[in-house]
Amino acid sequence: MHPSLHPLSEYKWEVPPSRRMTVPGTLFLTERLYRAGFDEKALEQIVNAASLPGRVEAVLAMPDIHCGYGLPIGGVLVTDSAEGVVSPGAVGYDINCGVRLLRTNLETQNLLEKREALLAALLSAVPTGVGAVQSEALSRREGNRVLREGAAALLRRGMAEREDLERTESSGSLPGAEDSLISDRAWERGSRQLGTLGAGNHFLEVQRVVEVYDPERARLWGLTQETLTIMVHTGSRGLGHQICTEALEKMERAARKYRFTLPDRELACAPADSPEGREYLAAMACGANFAWANRQAITHRLREVFSSLFGPRAALELVYDHGHNVVREEAHRIAAQKKLLLVHRKGATRAFPAGHSELPPRYSSTGQPVLIPGDMGRFSFVLAAAPTALQESFGSTCHGAGRLLSRNQAVKRAKGRSIEREMEEKGILLGCANRRTLEEESSEAYKDAGLVVEAVVGAGLSTLVCRLQPLLVVKG
DNA sequence: ATGTGC
């Protein structure tokens, strides 16, 4: 293991406070994952986050950690909501990027018979790739509703069901969103991007439940052996990117104004309880709401595609939707005291266990579903939030496989190969807007999501529910 | 991640 990591358990390691760190860094990690490939720069970024000004309560790293802008992807930064800072870099550019899982009522054979037609229909129904847009823009007036209300704004447009909102984290809407803070430039980027997938790691997958570990929870969530599911991974597209870009410029000025000594300018921040801090939170909430509406709009298109291909009885029912790039105010208990904290999760999933007051009634007895996408050639997982997640990680868990190779390294290793044929040999039909993306996103560019999941289960952050195998993949 | 970058 890394010389600066001290063991707390088989699954939990600590960087003791040194230099300017005010709290230790806690890494949820296994020897096996460490040996598979560890990002030295990510560790430095954890140390930086633990050195931020104001009251820092905790800095955590999930087992899928890798280097990001300011805070690593897989990082959790917890600050005091009154005396701490808020940092856009600790949320990331793709505000409320997240995952949604739908279950279908189709038989595997019905789907396989039409898989070529399904792939073509999906590619034409959901604009995919860098710069992907809709043919028509949403008016600013209609857009403001989306920014304020999130997925709920699609109810009146006939693109969402009440049940969808009941199965979306925070009902698909973060409070406190102020559309007046969104610049014309940001809205111009977003106005044609509602219902679009984007590029890179973002995908649409048709999957099959191939293993059930927890039959009772799986049954309650509508998942049994051979159930076909659809997983959607996307975020707030150019709109969220523009909100983050503008916030970072303002935060650099704010950090000077408040005379902060920053460990890294990418972690530019302002006191959470300052005009700059509050403004970022209100703009970030707009980005988060757009991301939820985006995944909901895609769901609507998927329902149209499935009913036209498989008939009106083909149903797509939402299992759950959660983000993994967001900061939110949460009440947590620390040493028997209740505190209001700002929990920045960047490439980390909120995981509230059974009985938590913020869970919708449907999940109050099972705990919240946690959706963990794997790479395109291997398995994805459905987990449940474990009761110990609250004290171990402020109710947080991992978000996916985690990158192992840089995009350039992955492209080099893909030279002279056909990724599509390799996937076909595994029984996976692949569609993609751009060849380079396929190479960047090859299976070997990622860690095995199974190892990441093993680590969060071992650490007591989540429990296993079922495993999903990809059958059809659409990549940006 | 991103109308991909000094």
Side-chain angles (χ1 to χ4, degrees), chain A residues 223-241:
Chain A
L223 303 168
T224 55
Q225 189 79 28
E226 289 300 309
T227 299
L228 294 180
T229 59
I230 304 174
M231 189 176 269
V232 182
H233 179 205
T234 186
S236 50
R237 309 287 279 89
L239 177 93
H241 194 277

Side-chain angles (χ1 to χ4, degrees), chain A residues 178-448:
Chain A
E178 283 181 41
D179 59 66
S180 61
L181 294 170
I182 302 308
S183 68
D184 290 343
R185 190 170 179 197
W187 179 247
E188 273 161 30
R189 288 182 72 172
S191 61
R192 294 163 81 119
Q193 292 183 323
L194 195 67
T196 67
L197 191 64
N201 186 22
H202 288 166
F203 65 77
L204 270 174
E205 260 184 36
V206 179
Q207 310 160 324
R208 183 163 56 129
V209 176
V210 288
E211 192 167 2
V212 176
Y213 310 97
D214 180 344
E216 184 57 14
R217 275 198 178 81
R219 187 184 62 77
L220 285 166
W221 297 351
L223 303 168
T224 55
Q225 189 79 28
E226 289 300 309
T227 299
L228 294 180
T229 59
I230 304 174
M231 189 176 269
V232 182
H233 179 205
T234 186
S236 50
R237 309 287 279 89
L239 177 93
H241 194 277
Q242 189 63 32
I243 292 171
C244 180
T245 302
E246 292 171 18
L248 284 167
E249 288 166 8
K250 288 180 196 156
M251 284 296 176
E252 288 217 13
R253 288 197 295 274
R256 281 196 296 275
K257 173 176 158 189
Y258 295 103
R259 301 182 185 283
F260 287 165
T261 309
L262 293 176
D264 174 0
R265 61 181 288 211
E266 293 185 356
L267 281 173
C269 55
D273 191 20
S274 68
E276 295 88 347
R278 284 191 294 269
E279 203 172 279
Y280 170 67
L281 288 168
M284 188 273 318
C286 292
N289 290 342
F290 186 82
W292 272 316
N294 188 27
R295 292 192 286 275
Q296 183 61 46
I298 289 173
T299 300
H300 176 64
R301 297 309 304 272
L302 291 174
R303 285 176 174 150
E304 290 177 341
V305 164
F306 273 72
S307 61
S308 83
L309 264 178
F310 300 104
R313 293 183 58 196
L316 302 185
E317 189 182 294
L318 186 54
V319 176
Y320 202 61
D321 175 311
H322 57 64
H324 48 227
N325 282 4
V326 83
V327 53
R328 52 207 304 171
E329 191 168 58
E330 293 173 7
H332 285 273
R333 206 172 280 283
I334 302 178
Q337 273 208 320
K338 226 177 189 176
K339 280 190 164 180
L340 263 189
L341 303 173
L342 277 182
V343 185
H344 303 68
R345 295 188 183 89
K346 179 182 187 181
T349 307
R350 186 169 88 164
F352 282 167
H356 195 287
S357 61
E358 284 197 38
L359 287 183
R362 185 178 174 82
Y363 296 112
S364 64
S365 68
T366 59
Q368 174 213 307
V370 172
L371 313 168
I372 304 301
D375 64 79
M376 65 182 173
R378 283 177 286 186
F379 303 104
S380 295
F381 294 84
V382 179
L383 314 179
T388 41
L390 280 179
Q391 58 262 33
E392 286 294 329
S393 61
F394 297 86
S396 310
T397 189
C398 64
H399 90 302
R403 216 168 231 293
L404 191 59
L405 302 179
S406 74
R407 294 183 182 278
N408 282 328
Q409 283 173 313
V411 169
K412 270 184 200 153
R413 296 219 195 160
K415 270 215 181 333
R417 291 163 41 193
S418 165
I419 304 288
E420 269 150 317
R421 201 173 56 233
E422 289 173 23
M423 292 280 281
E424 187 58 52
E425 281 160 11
K426 295 186 203 177
I428 304 167
L429 181 65
L430 181 61
C432 186
N434 178 300
R435 196 187 136 75
R436 186 182 158 91
T437 302
L438 279 192
E439 297 178 345
E440 289 176 351
E441 293 297 318
S442 72
S443 207
E444 74 207 58
Y446 285 89
K447 293 175 196 164
D448 182 352

Side-chain angles (χ1 to χ4, degrees), chain A residues 3-70:
Chain A
S4 47
L5 293 182
H6 295 208
L8 298 176
S9 82
E10 199 183 329
Y11 300 98
K12 191 172 162 186
W13 303 76
E14 182 180 89
V15 198
S18 67
R19 292 186 284 164
R20 304 148 72 96
M21 291 167 74
T22 54
V23 290
T26 305
L27 288 84
F28 296 98
L29 191 64
T30 57
E31 293 264 7
R32 212 172 152 194
L33 267 169
Y34 175 74
R35 282 198 303 272
F38 186 75
D39 190 338
E40 197 73 33
K41 180 113 196 283
L43 182 60
E44 202 181 306
Q45 291 183 322
I46 290 294
V47 169
N48 288 341
S51 315
L52 279 173
R55 266 256 292 284
V56 177
E57 296 292 336
V59 179
L60 314 172
M62 295 299 143
D64 46 342
I65 183 179
H66 54 108
C67 170
Y69 182 92

